[in-house]
Amino acid sequence: MSTDVPDLTRFGPDEAWRLGSRLVEACRRCALPVAIDVRLGAQQVFHAALPGSSADNDRWASRKGRIAWHFGLPSLEVWRRYVGDDGDPMAFLTAFALPVDKYFPAGGAVPITVGGAVVGVLAVSGLESSEDHALAVAAVRELANEAEQSYESEPRNEGVGE
C-alpha cells in the first residue's frame, strides 16, 4: 500500500500551500466536513477546518499525522500492518511506547517523501479512515502529476552554445 503515495521531486512551503489549497477546493465542492493538516518537518505549514468539522478532527489529524511521520508509512497501512480489524490499538501504542493523546493508527495521514526521504505529512480527518486516506493519496498524487507535467513542459537548452 505505501507505493500508492507517490514520491515527490521537491516539497517546500509553496508546494504545501498548493497541496492544501487544492484539497480544500476539492472537499468544498463535495461539502466534505474535514480538517486538513500539512506539515513540513515539525512545522505546520497548512491547516484548514471545513464546515462540519470540529476540534476533534484537528486532534485526530494530528494524531494520525504523528503515526505517518513516526513509521514513514501511511497511517492506514500502519493500522493494517500492526493492529488490524481484530487488533487492539491500545496494545499497539503500548508496544511502541506511544502516548494515546499524541498518536493513533487510523487512516488519513500519508508521509510526503522527496527522493524516498520523509519530509512532511498530509493528514485528513472527518470521514471514514479509508476515505480520509483516499483523499490524502489523491491530493499527493495530483501534486506529483502537476510537478511531472511542469518538468516535462520546461524548455530545454538543447543546442545552446553549439
Side-chain angles (χ1 to χ4, degrees):
M1 177 196 306
S2 62
T3 59
D4 63 352
V5 182
D7 191 49
L8 302 176
T9 55
R10 69 175 176 232
F11 189 76
D14 291 336
E15 291 80 17
W17 180 258
R18 281 199 307 277
L19 176 66
S21 297
R22 290 191 181 142
L23 184 52
V24 165
E25 289 173 17
C27 291
R28 280 191 185 279
R29 282 193 300 272
C30 298
L32 300 178
V34 297
I36 299 165
D37 186 45
V38 182
R39 296 194 173 262
L40 178 57
Q43 183 182 19
Q44 182 181 47
V45 290
F46 185 93
H47 180 81
L50 299 183
S53 67
S54 70
D56 286 335
N57 297 120
D58 295 339
R59 286 187 291 276
W60 274 103
S62 181
R63 293 165 71 201
K64 295 188 285 186
R66 284 187 184 100
I67 286 286
W69 181 265
H70 183 85
F71 289 91
L73 297 168
S75 56
L76 185 60
E77 184 171 340
V78 172
W79 171 266
R80 290 179 177 161
R81 207 181 267 196
Y82 297 106
V83 181
D85 292 336
D86 297 326
D88 178 1
M90 297 309 291
F92 160 80
L93 293 169
T94 299
F96 285 96
L98 300 173
V100 69
D101 63 325
K102 301 281 185 199
Y103 295 83
F104 200 83
V110 297
I112 298 169
T113 61
V114 174
V118 177
V119 298
V121 170
L122 166 62
V124 179
S125 177
L127 307 174
E128 293 294 322
S129 284
S130 61
E131 294 171 305
D132 286 344
H133 173 79
L135 282 172
V137 171
V140 175
R141 186 172 292 128
E142 181 180 333
L143 185 66
N145 289 342
E146 171 195 298
E148 187 175 303
Q149 289 170 0
S150 173
Y151 176 77
E152 289 173 358
S153 67
E154 288 179 3
R156 303 287 191 264
N157 290 328
E158 297 170 358
V160 174
E162 290 182 10

